[in-house]
Amino acid sequence: MFIDPSVNMKPDPLLYSPFKALVVPRPIGWITTISSDGVINLAPFSFFNGVTDDPPCIMYCPNGSHRDGGPKDSLKNVQDTGEFVFNLCNWDLREKMNLTAEHMPSNIDEMKAVGLEAAACKFINPPRVAAAPASFECRYIKTVDLPIGSTGRESHVVLGEVIGIHIDDSVIVDGIIDIGLLRPVARLGYMDYAVIDKSFTMMRPD
Ligand SMILES: Cc1cc2nc3c(=O)[nH]c(=O)nc-3n(C[C@H](O)[C@H](O)[C@H](O)COP(=O)(O)O)c2cc1C
């Protein structure tokens, strides 16, 4: 079949738009920001990835708006303060990560609300998730505004430079990150997730 997104994203026999089920698996950027009043926000973003490694840069996409109107806290806070943290969500943290997707009022500390311990960052103010096996301290670069959606929804790409990397030493074996110990959780389509705990190796031709 062929889909023209400007006409219909779920032509027969599709029940839902297949887009997110085809861009898989998506790593989850579990993003901490802090408001200019000092309120901690934590939220998962599966439109997330690394974009280059020298200097290391990442992006996440706060799309749509806050339930109380205006931009999502993860967009407003990063634009107000210029800092954010990427926390890696592993298998053990999957349920807490899901809880932080709840649309909470902007004055609620979302780490405290879901019972997660915060750990201080070295260079920036937002805290990291203490239990995360890795966290990146990031300095905001810029926001790229994407085309407005068919329902009037705004979408944004937030870009940041990684200025500090925390790794739990227990996931480092013989000098490399052991994926079987890291066990990152990734987003698939619909309400589905994957946990990555197996990998295979292939050398490049040159
Ligand atoms: C696994 C997962 C991935 C998500 N990915 C995104 C995403 O890429 N973009 C987005 O805008 N919302 C995404 N959400 C929803 C946000 O986490 C949710 O709207 C959150 O409350 C962000 O709002 P806040 O920044 O105001 O806290 C995702 C939710 C889950 C559970």
Side-chain angles (χ1 to χ4, degrees), residues 14 23 34 36 47 62 64 70 75-76 90 107 147-148 155 157 168 184 204:
L14 295 173
V23 184
I34 190 163
S36 32
F47 289 131
L75 178 60
K76 181 170 184 350
N90 64 6
N107 61 353
I148 302 290
S155 296
V157 181
D168 182 336
R204 290 190 187 187

Side-chain angles (χ1 to χ4, degrees), residues 25 29 69 87 108 131 162 200:
N87 304 281
I108 301 284
V162 180
F200 63 93

Side-chain angles (χ1 to χ4, degrees), residues 76-113:
K76 181 170 184 350
N77 292 349
V78 79
Q79 291 179 331
D80 287 350
T81 65
E83 298 174 336
F84 69 95
V85 183
F86 153 62
N87 304 281
L88 195 147
C89 174
N90 64 6
W91 175 254
D92 293 343
L93 289 168
R94 68 195 183 285
E95 279 162 10
K96 296 274 189 201
M97 176 277 294
N98 194 33
L99 287 177
T100 62
E102 188 180 328
H103 296 95
M104 299 186 203
S106 301
N107 61 353
I108 301 284
D109 176 332
E110 296 192 28
M111 263 200 209
K112 207 180 270 174

Side-chain angles (χ1 to χ4, degrees), residues 26 28 33 41-48 60-67 71-75 97-98 100-104 106 110 153 187 193:
R26 296 187 306 286
I28 296 173
T33 53
N41 193 86
L42 180 64
F45 293 88
S46 72
F47 289 131
F48 162 83
Y60 68 95
C61 302
N63 300 332
S65 44
H66 195 280
R67 184 167 283 174
K72 288 190 174 181
D73 292 326
S74 307
L75 178 60
M97 176 277 294
N98 194 33
T100 62
E102 188 180 328
H103 296 95
M104 299 186 203
S106 301
E110 296 192 28
R153 197 176 83 132
R187 192 78 172 87
Y193 290 81

Side-chain angles (χ1 to χ4, degrees), residues 15-42:
L15 299 177
Y16 308 98
S17 162
F19 180 76
K20 290 199 242 177
L22 296 172
V23 184
V24 287
R26 296 187 306 286
I28 296 173
W30 201 12
I31 304 295
T32 320
T33 53
I34 190 163
S35 72
S36 32
D37 301 337
V39 182
I40 295 165
N41 193 86
L42 180 64

